């Protein structure tokens, strides 16, 4: 592992000087009302929407975790990274409903479609989900990256990054996040692309790499009997998690809702889907390159999660190494800043303001800042617990999401596709789903102390992908049965909020919001996704 040299530090210093300049400029601007602090304006074009969706998604947990999946024989996890087709579902299926309802948060949409109780549950559910997945994973990835790059211990790196980002987010709000996000993504993509090309050259090209690791290593489709990644469960659960993350999660959807109109919003999601095709080539392949070099005795790392930073520090030339290091650190800070802001938005707008509707704007901004501080502290506390759940970081992220996503996906999907679904069905599914998901996490942690023949052990030991698929089926049955046993929702309650109740005028409006170019690019994205799925079949 090579440490950064003087030229690298100069590159990092220049990059961070620009970021600090932007942060100071934003902090000096007036942040006295909630729209300014939490939303940073709502009038953006498709390019910014797409770049922001991509930048929000790509953090150091992606870089570290996806490279770790490539280096640690977890190639089936690739399926989560070619979900560009699910981003298209956001633009073509969900976004028109969100735009028509005039909402800004996802819990708010549930209140319009169902009732205030569903809004409460989803708000609390989402904040818990952020702490369990995004915050703790990003902090953990950040600790690995910072310690590997700067040569300091893990906890110093993790805490230092969190505290710095926390200060920056509390003071700057959403505007600070938005202004830095796209710049950080561009730097990271340039650096990771350079690493991929230099790495492939170092291993002697794709064919040479395949010969070293073996063609079967590059197979993302394992048999249905595989104990870790059975392909039917992988396909079903990754789709469920994808719809939750890309189509119903505040963290991502908020970007699409900032668009000027539905046309710009949909184009933004199409552009975001196009960008979403990049991570496979930029982050997963460097992980396989790192494994190849390790197998040849040319590189050493202890954990697959260290593959990307070790490869970067050993292969890249001076200066470029510093640029990628800066990009990694910045992506980490950008992801943390985004999720801190989304959490404080949900808490302040959907919980605190609901309880105290007459609170002055300035007090709401202060409440959001205090909420951010608390969320940071909870995220740090969760890290040691997280380390016990799954070995590789990326697998941990997907396993916890497999327990959180099914009830939310079921409620949103059936909510817009089936008008008979009512508030009782939605509420029951969200509450029971939250409890079952929490039970699964607890059982997974304590399963070694359970009787191996008991039902609880079976529930805690079942493959996380198979659990996710069966859990989703359970949620679908639950929401349908409860809805059919209780009164149907009033017609005026569901007007324009389900496919069966869209007015003729709204259908006409929707048809004018896209043209042949939007359709053509969407089809091209689907063809590329199918091509990647076929290519990684181990032959």
């Amino acid at each position: 592992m090579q440490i950064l040299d003087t030229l690298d530090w100069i590159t990092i210093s220049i990059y961070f000087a620009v970021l600090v300049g932007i942060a100071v400029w934003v902090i000096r601007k007036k942040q006295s009302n909630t729209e300014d602090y939490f939303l940073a304006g709502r009038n953006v074009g498709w390019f910014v929407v797409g770049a922001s969706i991509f930048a929000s998604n790509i953090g150091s947990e992606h870089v570290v975790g996806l490279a770790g999946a490539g280096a640690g024989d977890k190639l089936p996890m690739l399926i989560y990274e070619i979900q560009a087709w699910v981003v298209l579902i956001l633009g073509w299926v969900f976004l028109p409903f969100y735009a028509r309802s005039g909402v800004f948060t996802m819990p708010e949409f549930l209140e319009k479609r169902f009732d205030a109780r569903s809004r409460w549950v989803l708000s609390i559910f989402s904040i818990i989900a952020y702490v369990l997945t995004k915050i703790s994973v990003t902090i953990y990835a950040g600790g690995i990256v910072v310690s590997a790059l700067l040569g300091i211990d893990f906890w110093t790196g993790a805490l230092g990054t969190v505290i710095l980002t926390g200060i920056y987010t509390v003071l700057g709000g959403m505007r600070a996040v938005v202004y830095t996000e796209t710049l950080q993504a561009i730097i990271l993509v340039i650096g990771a692309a350079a690493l991929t090309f230099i790495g492939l050259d170092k291993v002697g090209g794709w064919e040479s790499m395949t010969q070293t690791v073996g063609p079967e290593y590059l197979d993302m489709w394992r048999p249905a009997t595989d104990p870790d990644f059975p392909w039917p469960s992988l396909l079903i659960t990754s789709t469920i998690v994808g719809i939750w993350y890309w189509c119903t999660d505040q963290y991502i959807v908020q970007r699409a809702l900032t668009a000027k109109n539905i046309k710009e919003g949909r184009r933004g999601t199409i552009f975001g889907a196009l960008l979403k095709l990049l991570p496979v080539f930029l982050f997963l392949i460097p992980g396989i390159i790192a494994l190849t070099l390790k197998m040849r005795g040319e590189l050493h790392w202890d954990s697959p999660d260290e593959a990307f930073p070790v490869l970067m520090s050993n292969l890249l030339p001076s200066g470029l190494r510093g640029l990628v290091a800066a990009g990694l650190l910045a992506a980490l800070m950008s992801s943390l800043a985004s999720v801190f802001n989304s959490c404080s938005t949900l808490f302040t707008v959907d919980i605190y303001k609901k309880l105290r509707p007459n609170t002055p704007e300035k007090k709401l901004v202060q409440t959001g800042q205090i909420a951010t501080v608390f969320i940071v502290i909870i995220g740090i506390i969760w890290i040691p617990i997280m380390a016990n759940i799954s070995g590789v970081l990326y697998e941990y992220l997907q396993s916890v999401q497999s327990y959180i996503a099914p009830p939310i996906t079921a409620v949103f999907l059936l909510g817009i596709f089936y008008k008979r679904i009512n508030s009782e069905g939605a509420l029951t599914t969200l509450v029971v789903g939250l409890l079952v998901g929490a039970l699964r996490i607890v059982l997974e942690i304590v399963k070694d102390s359970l009787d191996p023949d008991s039902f609880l052990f079976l529930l805690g030991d079942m493959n996380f992908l198979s659990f996710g698929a069966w859990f989703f089926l359970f949620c679908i049955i639950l929401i349908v049965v409860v809805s059919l046993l209780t009164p149907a929702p009033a017609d005026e309650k569901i007007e324009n909020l389900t496919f069966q109740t869209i007015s003729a005028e709204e259908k006409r409006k929707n048809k004018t919001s896209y043209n042949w170019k939007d359709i053509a690019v969407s089809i091209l994205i689907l063809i590329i996704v199918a091509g990647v799925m076929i290519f990684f079949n181990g032959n």
Side-chain angles (χ1 to χ4, degrees):
M1 180 88 186
Q2 293 182 23
I3 55 169
L4 302 174
D5 61 20
T6 309
L7 188 56
D8 293 325
W9 281 112
I10 291 169
T11 311
I12 292 173
S13 301
I14 292 168
Y15 189 60
F16 274 96
V18 174
L19 284 189
V20 169
I22 292 171
V24 169
W25 173 69
V26 169
I27 290 163
R28 287 179 66 185
K29 292 177 86 68
K30 195 175 168 214
Q31 302 268 357
S32 59
N33 66 59
T34 46
E35 183 158 343
D36 204 39
Y37 185 77
F38 294 118
L39 312 181
R42 305 192 192 198
N43 193 31
V44 298
W46 64 268
F47 184 88
V48 177
V49 170
S52 183
I53 286 172
F54 177 71
S56 299
N57 173 237
I58 298 300
S60 55
E61 80 281 2
H62 256 81
V63 181
V64 171
L66 193 51
D73 198 20
K74 308 273 186 186
L75 205 77
M77 305 306 283
L78 160 67
I79 198 163
Y80 287 94
E81 283 314 301
I82 46 175
Q83 287 190 329
W85 65 278
V86 185
V87 189
L88 294 177
I89 293 174
L90 168 61
W92 288 103
V93 178
F94 285 89
L95 192 57
F97 287 102
Y98 298 151
R100 270 196 292 271
S101 63
V103 300
F104 203 87
T105 70
M106 294 298 95
E108 198 182 345
F109 178 77
L110 285 195
E111 182 173 27
K112 290 220 169 187
R113 173 62 179 87
F114 301 112
D115 60 12
R117 296 173 303 169
S118 299
R119 178 177 183 169
W120 274 105
V121 174
L122 185 63
S123 301
I124 295 162
F125 202 126
S126 298
I127 290 170
I128 293 169
Y130 285 147
V131 172
L132 295 189
T133 59
K134 294 184 179 72
I135 293 175
S136 54
V137 171
T138 308
I139 293 170
Y140 181 72
I144 291 170
V145 170
V146 174
S147 58
L149 291 178
L150 309 183
I152 54 178
D153 72 280
F154 169 76
W155 278 103
T156 308
L159 291 173
T161 313
V162 171
I163 292 163
L164 273 174
T165 312
I167 293 167
Y168 159 76
T169 315
V170 167
L171 297 176
M174 185 62 167
R175 198 181 297 273
V177 177
V178 168
Y179 273 90
T180 54
E181 221 165 30
T182 309
L183 169 69
Q184 290 160 342
I186 291 166
I187 296 291
L188 190 58
V189 165
I190 292 169
L195 183 60
T196 303
F197 286 119
I198 292 169
L200 279 172
D201 182 59
K202 174 82 174 172
V203 295
W206 187 268
E207 290 299 320
S208 175
M209 181 178 79
T210 306
Q211 283 169 8
T212 302
V213 297
E216 66 286 347
Y217 188 86
L218 299 177
D219 187 4
M220 63 181 279
W221 304 108
R222 306 281 167 89
T225 52
D226 188 87
D228 298 318
F229 301 106
W231 77 263
S233 300
L234 178 71
L235 195 61
I236 295 164
T237 303
S238 65
T239 303
I240 295 161
V241 171
I243 292 171
W244 164 67
Y245 180 85
W246 291 105
C247 304
T248 74
D249 192 22
Q250 182 68 22
Y251 182 71
I252 294 295
V253 178
Q254 190 169 327
R255 269 82 191 146
L257 293 179
T258 59
K260 293 172 189 172
N261 51 45
I262 183 70
K263 183 177 184 177
E264 295 291 314
R266 184 184 286 114
R267 281 207 175 149
T269 61
I270 293 169
F271 181 49
L274 208 53
L275 293 173
K276 183 62 190 158
L277 296 167
L278 294 175
V280 177
F281 309 101
L282 298 178
F283 309 128
L284 183 97
I285 290 170
I288 303 170
I289 291 167
L291 177 67
T292 305
L293 292 172
K294 186 180 182 182
M295 288 169 77
R296 292 177 184 175
E298 297 173 38
L299 199 68
H300 177 73
W301 35 265
D302 298 317
S303 152
D305 286 338
E306 293 173 10
F308 192 93
V310 170
L311 184 74
M312 185 204 80
S313 69
N314 282 278
L315 286 198
L316 292 179
S318 180
L320 187 56
R321 191 167 54 226
L323 187 67
V324 180
L328 274 173
L329 295 171
L332 157 69
M333 295 178 80
S334 169
S335 297
L336 273 179
S338 293
V339 73
F340 289 163
N341 189 264
S342 292
C343 264
S344 64
T345 303
L346 283 169
F347 176 79
T348 310
V349 176
D350 280 321
I351 295 176
Y352 190 84
K353 197 174 177 182
K354 255 323 220 170
L355 290 171
R356 302 191 175 180
N358 299 321
T359 307
E361 291 284 294
K362 200 161 189 177
K363 180 78 167 38
L364 286 173
V365 170
Q366 289 168 353
T367 305
Q369 291 172 328
I370 294 165
T372 306
V373 174
F374 272 99
I375 289 156
V376 171
I377 294 166
I378 293 165
I380 292 167
I381 293 167
W382 180 253
I383 297 174
I385 303 164
M386 186 194 95
N388 293 328
I389 296 183
S390 286
V392 173
L393 173 67
Y394 201 67
E395 190 180 350
Y396 160 79
L397 182 63
Q398 305 309 344
S399 67
V400 174
Q401 288 180 342
S402 303
Y403 317 146
I404 291 168
I408 302 177
T409 303
V411 168
F412 273 87
L413 266 180
L414 287 184
I416 65 168
F417 277 101
Y418 187 20
K419 69 177 185 178
R420 183 62 179 78
I421 299 298
N422 62 15
S423 56
E424 298 301 327
L427 182 69
T428 305
T429 305
L430 287 173
V431 172
V432 172
L434 178 60
L435 294 173
V436 172
L439 176 66
R440 162 68 196 216
I441 292 173
V442 171
L443 290 176
E444 195 171 332
I445 294 169
V446 302
K447 68 181 178 186
D448 292 339
S449 62
L450 298 172
D451 175 8
D453 298 323
S454 68
F455 174 71
L456 288 179
F457 179 83
L458 174 71
L459 207 60
D461 192 51
M462 186 191 293
N463 176 279
F464 76 95
L465 295 167
S466 300
F467 177 84
W470 286 111
F471 186 22
F472 181 66
L473 179 64
F474 167 75
C475 291
I476 292 283
I477 294 168
L478 182 64
I479 192 170
V480 171
V481 169
V482 174
S483 293
L484 292 176
L485 291 175
T486 48
D491 288 344
E492 60 272 14
K493 179 74 182 165
I494 54 174
E495 189 182 356
N496 288 323
L497 294 178
T498 74
F499 274 106
Q500 295 125 306
T501 57
I502 303 172
S503 66
E505 185 190 349
E506 288 297 337
K507 284 179 182 172
R508 277 196 304 274
K509 272 190 203 169
N510 193 42
K511 276 188 178 169
T512 61
S513 69
Y514 59 87
N515 59 29
W516 69 269
K517 291 175 193 166
D518 301 311
I519 296 169
V521 176
S522 298
I523 291 169
L524 175 67
I525 290 165
L526 294 176
I527 291 168
I528 294 170
V529 169
V532 172
M533 285 182 168
I534 293 164
F535 180 78
F536 284 98
N537 68 359
N539 294 320

